[in-house]
Amino acid sequence: MRSFLALGASALCLGAMPGVLAAQDDAAGIRMTWFGITNWFYEFGDTGVLVDGVVSPFSEDDAKPNPDQVARVLEAMDRGTGVDMIFVGHDHRDHTFDTVEWARQTGAPVYTSAVACEGMISDGLPEDQCTPVYGGETIDVDANTTVRVVRWSHSFRCDADSNGGTEGIETFGFLFKHETADGPISWFMTDSGAGGPELVTNRIVDGTDYGAPLANLADAVRDADLTGFDLWQGGPESRVVNQARVLVPVFDIKYFMPQHYGARGGFDLGTGLHYAFDTAEMPKLTALMEERGVEPFVSQNYFDAYVYSASGLERVDNAEVKTALGLPASGPGPAEQGPNPRAGKLECAQD
């Protein structure tokens, strides 16, 4: 078991890390590519699924999506599947900024909140290309893969009152289940989420009770005929320990992929990950993962790739894609990494 501590800010060179594999035939598993914030590209055989997908540089309120950048990333990243579905967890610009452009260029349907759909339609997305979700839906990706939509809750700062999670922006997680010849594999991806009381407080919106996030996730797991899920792609970076304390033991999580780091105070794929994941900034989360024996898979740069199969989770080479986008084949860069602008605010005294 690799140490969670060993994969913090000091682990900057992917090529020097244990467990790194050369490119392989991943027909038996799912190829997963992370490209910043909570952007994921999943390849299921000849089917491609995108989550969030922000790729245009943005730091100012008046910034606009860059169609050429979307096309460039799509051309580099697509190994033949295309993008067949798009999922977005909540309606904030660091998750929805490029969604309409992705949908326009690929023709893929979008699944997100009703509020996010309304905004995308006003930005030119055809109404029939955006499906509002409310939690509890099961969506078929292909003959072997389903996604269950889980009503979740958004994160909050140390000095914020969360109101038990009953207020705030609509937020969703996605429970994936994929059948392989060696049995099912599953993972839960959420692009936000608080912990503590928020996980067990029913979310009531306009008189409709959408249940408590933890109960919603448990229902989705049962509905998928699972007892838990091995992989958790969790975020954002702030206060994620509060989720981990519950999710890790309840759902018997074995692998953790932290996300939503390296993209605060601006975002530009061309510079590379502009600060590293640093376990020293999250001592409570680090200690919990070490204690529970959870294996971390920490991305060192944009477009780090993985293959997830019934035999486990492995890193794979993605040099061709990175080179096409001006990134080094392994490790950070090309720009020098700086400090995390949110350092000291990722865990709170009360967590």
Side-chain angles (χ1 to χ4, degrees):
M1 184 69 68
R2 277 174 284 172
S3 167
F4 193 79
L5 285 167
L7 291 176
S10 61
L12 297 180
C13 180
L14 183 61
M17 296 169 61
V20 177
L21 301 182
Q24 65 181 48
D25 179 5
D26 52 293
I30 307 304
R31 189 178 178 98
M32 302 175 160
T33 302
W34 179 76
F35 52 109
I37 316 179
T38 49
N39 304 324
W40 286 97
F41 182 52
Y42 305 131
E43 297 168 84
F44 306 84
D46 60 359
T47 301
V49 171
L50 181 74
V51 179
D52 289 358
V54 174
V55 297
S56 297
F58 70 91
S59 58
E60 303 295 336
D61 290 341
D62 61 354
K64 297 185 182 302
N66 185 331
D68 291 340
Q69 177 76 338
V70 172
R72 183 169 175 250
V73 171
L74 177 60
E75 181 180 9
M77 191 169 59
D78 179 15
R79 302 184 316 141
T81 65
V83 174
D84 298 287
M85 290 183 173
I86 301 171
F87 293 90
V88 178
H90 67 282
D91 187 27
H92 279 163
R93 65 189 282 114
D94 55 342
H95 304 279
T96 60
F97 192 61
D98 288 313
T99 304
V100 172
E101 188 58 35
W102 277 104
R104 187 188 70 79
Q105 293 192 25
T106 66
V110 179
Y111 298 88
T112 188
S113 69
V115 170
C117 273
E118 289 174 5
M120 292 175 192
I121 291 167
S122 69
D123 287 339
L125 184 68
E127 185 173 354
D128 62 0
Q129 205 172 338
C130 197
T131 299
V133 295
Y134 300 91
E137 298 89 349
T138 298
I139 299 166
D140 292 327
V141 174
D142 61 20
N144 297 314
T145 312
T146 55
V147 178
R148 284 168 173 81
V149 181
V150 179
R151 188 89 176 208
W152 209 239
S153 62
H154 196 270
S155 59
F156 56 96
R157 303 181 310 274
C158 292
D159 60 351
D161 180 0
S162 68
N163 297 304
T166 59
E167 297 180 9
I169 193 167
E170 292 177 287
T171 304
F172 299 93
F174 305 104
L175 178 68
F176 288 80
K177 180 183 178 182
H178 177 74
E179 298 287 352
T180 76
D182 298 314
I185 58 175
S186 55
W187 68 98
F188 181 56
M189 185 278 173
T190 170
D191 64 7
S192 190
E198 291 69 37
L199 289 179
V200 293
T201 301
N202 284 34
R203 292 187 58 78
I204 300 173
V205 181
D206 295 331
T208 299
D209 188 342
Y210 290 102
L214 183 60
N216 294 341
L217 180 55
D219 287 345
V221 168
R222 282 193 296 268
D223 187 61
D225 197 23
L226 299 167
T227 58
F229 46 89
D230 285 351
L231 170 59
W232 175 33
Q233 294 171 331
E237 54 190 328
S238 59
R239 312 196 73 181
V240 72
V241 63
N242 292 319
Q243 292 183 73
R245 287 179 175 135
V246 177
L247 268 62
V248 168
V250 169
F251 298 106
D252 194 24
I253 294 168
K254 295 179 175 60
Y255 312 113
F256 175 55
M257 284 180 161
Q259 55 183 1
H260 218 311
Y261 62 94
R264 295 287 185 177
F267 177 63
D268 187 347
L269 286 178
T271 66
L273 193 64
H274 77 268
Y275 61 85
F277 182 89
D278 187 352
T279 55
E281 294 172 355
M282 290 160 277
K284 298 175 184 179
L285 176 65
T286 299
L288 172 68
M289 295 301 193
E290 292 276 12
E291 178 184 351
R292 300 294 306 191
V294 176
E295 186 170 9
F297 282 79
V298 179
S299 295
Q300 308 302 308
N301 208 350
Y302 304 133
F303 300 97
D304 278 4
Y306 310 84
V307 167
Y308 183 32
S309 68
S311 61
L313 183 64
E314 298 287 354
R315 302 173 185 273
V316 294
D317 176 76
N318 206 26
E320 184 177 355
V321 171
K322 292 184 177 188
T323 300
L325 294 167
L327 301 176
S330 64
E336 182 179 352
Q337 289 185 323
N340 184 350
R342 300 186 72 196
K345 301 177 182 179
L346 305 184
E347 293 181 344
C348 311
Q350 65 268 33
D351 288 341

